[in-house]
Amino acid sequence: MNFSATLRCAALAFALLFATSASAQTPSKTVVVRVYEWSDKLYIAYGNGKTEVQDMGNTLVRKNQQPVTEQLQSVIDRLYNEGYTLTAATSASRHERDMISTYIFRKQ
């Protein structure tokens, strides 16, 4: 194999490697926000292994839910500003204390 062919093969291998790693890092068009009341956590999953966890404080004993509501509102505003639109929202629980709320956002 001559030097020119070797150089072309190396360039092709590099291009394929770059394309593969770039596509693996492409952000998802869907973001899932989950609020777990019993664990006092809010999870924001962006896809491709990127998840943000926010501590909501102790919501089970807190009588004033205003700070938690404002925190969720801040997350929703941030997602809207990033171009996401709320497409679905659900809540479920087996007991009053284990409420899970899920919000699905999508970017067009």
Side-chain angles (χ1 to χ4, degrees):
M1 187 181 294
N2 64 27
F3 180 72
S4 178
T6 303
L7 189 58
R8 282 193 301 252
C9 286
L12 179 60
F14 179 76
L16 288 173
L17 177 65
F18 179 74
T20 302
S21 66
S23 66
Q25 298 303 316
T26 302
S28 174
K29 291 186 175 191
T30 304
V31 172
V32 177
V33 176
R34 277 205 139 159
V35 180
Y36 292 85
E37 295 286 339
W38 77 90
S39 70
D40 305 317
K41 302 287 183 200
L42 185 145
Y43 295 85
I44 306 164
Y46 296 94
N48 296 321
K50 182 181 177 194
T51 299
E52 178 183 338
V53 181
Q54 293 187 8
D55 187 5
M56 298 185 305
N58 193 345
T59 59
L60 292 178
V61 296
R62 182 180 294 165
K63 292 182 181 180
N64 180 5
Q65 292 293 317
Q66 182 176 344
V68 173
T69 304
E70 289 173 353
Q71 183 177 1
L72 181 58
Q73 186 270 333
S74 175
V75 168
I76 291 170
D77 269 357
R78 181 176 46 139
L79 291 172
Y80 271 115
N81 287 333
E82 293 175 7
Y84 290 92
T85 303
L86 181 67
T87 59
T90 63
S91 292
S93 74
R94 291 179 300 179
H95 308 288
E96 183 178 310
R97 293 180 54 149
D98 67 355
M99 176 71 71
I100 301 172
S101 299
T102 304
Y103 305 90
I104 299 174
F105 292 85
R106 186 94 173 128
K107 186 183 278 191
Q108 297 303 325

